[in-house]
Amino acid sequence: MSFKVQLEIFEGPLDLLLYLIKKEELDIYHIPIARITEQYLEYIHIMKMLNLDVAGEFLVMAATLMHIKSRLLLPEEELEEEELEEDPRAELVKQLIEYQKFKEAAERLKAKEIEQEEIFTRSGDEAAELSQKEGFLLEASLFDLLSAFSNVLKAVGEKEEFTEIMEEETTVKEKIRNIMDMLRVKASLNFTEFFVGLVNRVEMVVTFLALLELIRLKEIKIRQARRFGEIRVYKQ
Amino acid sequence: MELQEARAIIEALLFSADKPISVEQIKEVLEEIDSKSIQSLIKNLQDEYESQGRSFQLVEVAGGFRMSTRPQFGPWLKKFYKVRHRERLTAASLETLSIIAYKQPVIRSEIESIRGVDVAGVLHSLLEKRLIRVMGRKMILGRPLIYGTTDEFLEHFGLRALSELPKMEELVKPQINTDSHRNTDKGTKDDEVKYIATDEHG
Amino acid sequence: MELQEARAIIEALLFSADKPISVEQIKEVLEEIDSKSIQSLIKNLQDEYESQGRSFQLVEVAGGFRMSTRPQFGPWLKKFYKVRHRERLTAASLETLSIIAYKQPVIRSEIESIRGVDVAGVLHSLLEKRLIRVMGRKMILGRPLIYGTTDEFLEHFGLRALSELPKMEELVKPQINTDSHRNTDKGTKDDEVKYIATDEHG
């Protein structure tokens, strides 16, 4: 596909793992590696399919997961003594827990930041700055979007191969216009509503890319009422 | 100089500044008044604004004192300035900031090993926003830059000092999702390996 | 909304802004409170700051109200900010400004005919400082720009409105002299060149 969405992927592989752990309600200390690896790869697959810039770190983590999986599946007699003692997942779990702490710290900081928004000092500059900058908030994560998109795709059914038969550039542009038209009629729509009536997978991909592009352009914003809930698309 | 006069000057200083002013800075202006008196005069002003129900308050932040409106007027002020909210930091920035705040002095590779992604772009934008600063170079191979947070960081989040950050131990342990935790908690390691096997072949 | 609450919101608005806020602007935020009540609440705050001996005051300026420190704290604030005085306007700027203030709407050649010198540079710097603004073009040959003063001009000099400028008649003679104006107004370009010449060599 020639059209490349320049959306920055802020989230990394650790975010994706934590996301999956939470979504699947897993115990971080006892991660079912095979299951999580499978899901992890599925997300990578979707990202690649969408031609998103999948950072190298995602692939490194995929390799790590597969390595852990293979070691867990090895019969005990084939393992070295020190390998027996340590759970092959231990290192990853440690990293995830460490990272999760900082994510939590970040959440606390965010709460503080929002608190501060209610407070004004005697600074005209700030007031001027305020009226110019309308902060943008990606309130649902990229993984939430990918997850929703993956559900949409699954709903259509069979794993039909993607064909590169269209001039995406114009099509994405058309889709963008389409989406904005829809949002002119109604100020907000559920994520899935943009895919209603689409049977062609390629068209669905293009629609998704158009949504990503609109997020990047700050024309639309996405929100979730609750974690892992339905995604709603709003006109900015 | 009488304390009453000193108090008025302190009020004028705090009123005119849009950055927090420290007791030391006030002392430099007032000279003959000792720090302890300055502190108690500030406290006195704080109490007065409180008891008089003034719309502004005097808050200790980033090692100094700053006058600001009370939070309950936020909605009205936003209406006046026609803004919904200030530019908020992205999740990536917040995470990187937390790591720097807790681990400082810290180098880029340490941050990256925790976040698991490249943070060059985020560091750049945090430096631009003056929320972090370069503290020097680490005397190891490659002489990497050392990062730390700034007073603006404290101000942005309304913190008096770094010690006001929640203790690492206080941060919620693994999951935020306690229900799910209970479910899987009972499982032993053996169970899971089995589970993996079934999962694989099922 | 109770008046007490409205008063607190007005205080928060005035406190947070460093530009004068007009009654109309406040009304836009408070909606249900009428202008007259707003005015009396402001008066009420003014009196309160006065009677409590606050270091700041609420002053009507440039068609609005602005909180500022009282003048007697100037020396302390200058000591704190380590400045002797704000950037003062040059004599040339002040003269040009006065001419614009009294004669507005006014075009460059009129100013030059009064001051007897080229004012292009001064006009440029006054525009940059936002003390004057371009009001349009005069429909005469060359379609010259028309200048006038701004709200910032009023603020800079602490004036409520242009009507607060001293009356022309009150002004001590020579200085921003109306006579000279009358002279040059009628004067041809040649007269002016002569004038400049005298000035140059005198």
Side-chain angles (χ1 to χ4, degrees), chain A residues 69-171:
Chain A
K69 191 175 99 176
S70 66
R71 274 185 53 194
L72 278 173
L73 290 172
L74 276 182
E76 291 196 355
E77 52 266 30
E78 284 181 33
L79 293 168
E80 302 290 326
E81 204 170 316
E82 75 255 35
E83 282 182 318
L84 257 179
E85 277 167 22
E86 211 195 338
D87 187 322
R89 296 171 295 188
E91 187 60 34
L92 179 62
V93 168
K94 208 178 117 200
Q95 203 184 359
L96 283 172
I97 287 171
E98 174 83 343
Y99 179 49
Q100 202 176 33
K101 273 190 206 160
F102 287 105
K103 271 182 98 77
E104 170 69 16
E107 282 299 316
R108 303 272 190 108
L109 280 181
K110 188 178 176 182
K112 283 265 178 201
E113 189 183 38
I114 292 169
E115 236 174 76
Q116 289 300 307
E117 273 177 21
E118 301 303 318
I119 287 170
F120 289 69
T121 56
R122 282 183 38 77
S123 154
D125 298 341
E126 186 189 36
E129 224 177 285
L130 274 174
S131 42
Q132 284 168 13
K133 286 187 199 160
E134 183 58 64
F136 172 67
L137 261 171
L138 185 87
E139 290 182 324
S141 80
L142 175 66
F143 301 133
D144 287 312
L145 277 175
L146 291 176
S147 166
F149 182 56
S150 141
N151 288 338
V152 168
L153 281 183
K154 276 177 193 151
V156 204
E158 296 323 301
K159 281 189 182 166
E160 145 204 338
E161 277 311 303
F162 282 82
T163 41
E164 301 185 21
I165 42 162
M166 10 159 274
E167 299 148 54
E168 290 82 10
E169 197 121 11
T170 52
T171 325

Side-chain angles (χ1 to χ4, degrees), chain C residues 96-104 106 132 148-149 153 162 165:
Chain C
T96 308
L97 254 184
S98 321
I99 295 168
I100 297 172
Y102 283 99
K103 294 267 170 192
Q104 63 190 314
V106 65
I132 61 167
T149 56
F153 162 79
L162 282 172
L165 282 171

Side-chain angles (χ1 to χ4, degrees), chain A residues 169-190:
Chain A
E169 197 121 11
T170 52
T171 325
V172 170
K173 270 186 194 148
E174 265 167 36
K175 267 294 162 208
I176 285 176
R177 233 172 287 136
N178 252 333
I179 291 167
M180 292 313 283
D181 283 345
M182 286 172 85
L183 286 170
R184 254 185 284 278
V185 181
K186 264 177 105 180
S188 78
L189 288 165
N190 277 341

Side-chain angles (χ1 to χ4, degrees), chain A residues 186-198:
Chain A
K186 264 177 105 180
S188 78
L189 288 165
N190 277 341
F191 176 82
T192 49
E193 292 183 72
F194 293 97
F195 299 90
V196 171
L198 304 184

Side-chain angles (χ1 to χ4, degrees), chain C residues 24-64:
Chain C
E24 293 71 46
Q25 282 175 297
I26 295 172
K27 174 126 192 47
E28 268 176 51
V29 176
L30 293 182
E31 289 168 13
E32 32 179 318
I33 310 288
D34 63 274
S35 301
K36 224 174 143 186
S37 304
I38 291 172
Q39 218 127 20
S40 81
L41 289 172
I42 291 174
K43 180 82 180 66
N44 186 272
L45 283 168
Q46 269 176 328
D47 294 347
E48 196 171 285
Y49 297 158
E50 183 75 41
S51 69
Q52 289 181 355
R54 294 259 79 98
S55 305
F56 44 83
Q57 57 191 351
L58 194 41
V59 183
E60 191 173 352
V61 70

Side-chain angles (χ1 to χ4, degrees), chain B residues 151-176:
Chain B
D151 277 353
E152 280 88 350
F153 163 79
L154 293 174
E155 265 187 72
H156 185 88
F157 296 101
L159 298 167
R160 285 182 214 206
L162 284 172
S163 58
E164 267 206 338
L165 286 171
K167 297 273 156 301
M168 259 308 194
E169 305 83 58
E170 286 171 24
L171 295 175
V172 192
K173 274 274 180 94
Q175 298 286 48
I176 300 170

